[in-house]
Amino acid sequence: CWSVTYTSQSICVLKGSSVDISCSYTYPSYHEVKKTFWFTKWDPGKEPEDLILVPGNEGHIDYHGDKKNDCTLRITDLRLTDSSEYRFRFITSGGHFSGSPVSLTVTGNLSHLFYHVDSIPLPVQPTSVSEGNRVTLTCTTKCSLDPNPEYSWYKNGQPIENTNTNSTVHILSVSSEDAGKYSCGVKGHEALLSPEETLSVTYGPKNTSVSVSPSAEIMEGSSVTLTCSSDANPPVDKYTWYKKTVTSPKASGQSYSITNITSEDSGEYHCEAHNRKGTKNSTAQMIIVADSSPVYDNVSDMVMTSTAAQTADTDNQDDLHYASIHYSSSREQEVPLYSTVQSSQPQKQEEEVQYAALKFNCPSAATR
């Protein structure tokens, strides 16, 4: 009976590791085994070439079997180019026989990640996901190294905390914060993570705001620039400017400049940001224009006018004279009369001081 039996018909291993392709073979008992070898290529009409004799395979591929019934092949320091279908062949004194192929896969990436939106049938993977959709991330392995592998999840190269170790992760309502580059791997083989897969989340404008330049006091006749900022994906494709109490838009574009500004430009301004996902208005920005005109056109004229007016008023006023009358509690003392206002002096407790203001009108020229 002729046969070649393999322990596994399909083997998946990691690049740089070693593998034993275990097998056994049988033949008629009265035959003597003359030659055993492994090969990968077999051209019809030609005897296949022994892998051990292929240049570059010395020390890399070794036959660990014998010429009785063991046909194990060992490959060390596996290369990606070692992926192929391997077959064992033996020749006896009475014939020859080749076994069926064994599939060997050498991979540099243990895992592969893909995501899909639950509302879109598989196998379609969208280039972007709308905010609010449910998204499922799935990690698959090219090599079943463990019967029940546990998985690790990463975002932007950092482990995702508090994530399950299953092969799938569900994001119930995706948001802009979930956007990033995701990868996964089998625990115990973290050096062989899957290639990163970018999750792009689209959303309408948010955090829309207005900034003013210059930020100092705005003087009449100067220039002011308003700038609108907004977070959106895809980016904002249209900005519109409005002023309170004005129905029609004032301008369009991310920046709005007002030159030679006047008091009529004072008021509340806001911008509107728009992309294909929606529209968002900023909060109002108050613009106050200060009057830069002087209070007096000619200070020297003002001073002269004021002085002249004061002089005229003085001429028109009657002459005023003040006097103070000092009363003493002692009747024997004389009562002095002062022609000018006397500053108060410390008096003895028994004295009373009273003051009076007397007005004298000078006679006009007609009465002199």
Side-chain angles (χ1 to χ4, degrees):
C1 180
W2 300 81
S3 70
V4 174
T5 304
Y6 304 108
T7 303
S8 177
Q9 291 286 130
S10 180
I11 303 174
C12 184
V13 287
L14 301 176
K15 175 185 175 182
S17 64
S18 299
V19 64
D20 284 346
I21 304 177
S22 301
C23 81
S24 61
Y25 62 103
T26 62
Y27 49 90
S29 59
Y30 55 88
H31 285 205
E32 181 183 358
V33 177
K34 298 294 184 180
K35 184 178 182 180
T36 59
F37 64 94
W38 287 79
F39 66 94
T40 56
K41 298 178 182 179
W42 191 4
D43 294 330
K46 294 182 180 181
E47 185 68 17
E49 184 179 15
D50 187 346
L51 279 175
I52 296 177
L53 302 178
V54 174
N57 284 345
E58 184 179 356
H60 175 57
I61 299 178
D62 293 311
Y63 182 64
H64 278 236
D66 53 35
K67 291 185 178 181
K68 293 181 179 181
N69 54 25
D70 187 1
C71 51
T72 299
L73 181 72
R74 174 170 293 177
I75 307 175
T76 58
D77 192 18
L78 282 157
R79 312 160 185 163
L80 295 178
T81 54
D82 291 326
S83 296
S84 186
E85 290 187 339
Y86 291 75
R87 299 177 70 174
F88 175 71
R89 181 176 175 81
F90 64 98
I91 301 172
T92 70
S93 57
H96 50 78
F97 187 81
S98 297
S100 59
V102 174
S103 176
L104 175 66
T105 302
V106 181
T107 179
N109 295 313
L110 181 60
S111 306
H112 175 69
L113 181 147
F114 68 93
Y115 68 87
H116 73 276
V117 180
D118 290 8
S119 59
I120 301 177
L122 288 172
V124 177
Q125 178 170 324
T127 56
S128 61
V129 179
S130 296
E131 194 170 43
N133 282 346
R134 177 187 168 102
V135 174
T136 299
L137 302 174
T138 303
C139 190
T140 61
T141 59
K142 295 180 180 179
C143 296
S144 298
L145 300 179
D146 302 304
N148 296 303
E150 292 187 343
Y151 294 85
S152 301
W153 294 89
Y154 300 82
K155 179 183 177 183
N156 298 326
Q158 300 299 318
I160 302 177
E161 301 296 336
N162 302 321
T163 305
N164 64 53
T165 58
N166 299 330
S167 61
T168 57
V169 170
H170 300 284
I171 304 177
L172 301 181
S173 181
V174 70
S175 68
S176 57
E177 288 76 16
D178 296 315
K181 295 181 178 181
Y182 289 83
S183 60
C184 64
V186 175
K187 285 195 172 183
H189 301 279
E190 284 77 5
L192 296 170
L193 298 179
S194 69
E196 289 185 326
E197 194 69 39
T198 300
L199 177 64
S200 178
V201 180
T202 58
Y203 50 94
K206 58 178 65 175
N207 302 325
T208 305
S209 62
V210 175
S211 60
V212 182
S213 180
S215 57
E217 185 180 19
I218 302 172
M219 303 301 296
E220 195 170 24
S222 62
S223 296
V224 172
T225 299
L226 308 179
T227 302
C228 188
S229 301
S230 185
D231 176 25
N233 186 31
V236 174
D237 53 33
K238 183 181 179 182
Y239 293 94
T240 308
W241 292 91
Y242 295 91
K243 180 183 180 184
K244 188 176 181 180
T245 70
V246 179
T247 306
S248 58
K250 296 291 293 181
S252 60
Q254 188 172 7
S255 295
Y256 171 39
S257 295
I258 307 174
T259 58
N260 196 24
I261 196 168
T262 66
S263 58
E264 295 180 355
D265 295 314
S266 296
E268 295 182 7
Y269 292 80
H270 77 270
C271 68
E272 177 187 85
H274 171 82
N275 71 355
R276 62 180 175 85
K277 303 297 294 184
T279 300
K280 182 70 174 180
N281 290 342
S282 70
T283 55
Q285 176 69 51
M286 174 63 74
I287 298 296
I288 300 176
V289 181
D291 187 2
S292 61
S293 60
V295 178
Y296 302 102
D297 291 334
N298 192 316
V299 177
S300 60
D301 289 346
M302 180 271 296
V303 174
M304 294 178 63
T305 303
S306 175
T307 304
Q310 292 178 357
T311 303
D313 291 341
T314 303
D315 292 341
N316 292 332
Q317 288 180 350
D318 294 330
D319 293 336
L320 296 179
H321 297 268
Y322 296 91
S324 61
I325 301 175
H326 178 208
Y327 291 94
S328 174
S329 58
S330 175
R331 294 184 178 181
E332 295 178 0
Q333 292 180 342
E334 295 181 356
V335 180
L337 179 65
Y338 299 94
S339 60
T340 59
V341 178
Q342 182 182 18
S343 59
S344 60
Q345 299 292 333
Q347 303 292 331
K348 296 180 180 180
Q349 291 183 356
E350 68 272 16
E351 292 181 344
E352 284 187 12
V353 179
Q354 295 185 8
Y355 296 92
L358 303 180
K359 178 179 180 181
F360 298 92
N361 292 328
C362 297
S364 61
T367 59
R368 288 181 182 176

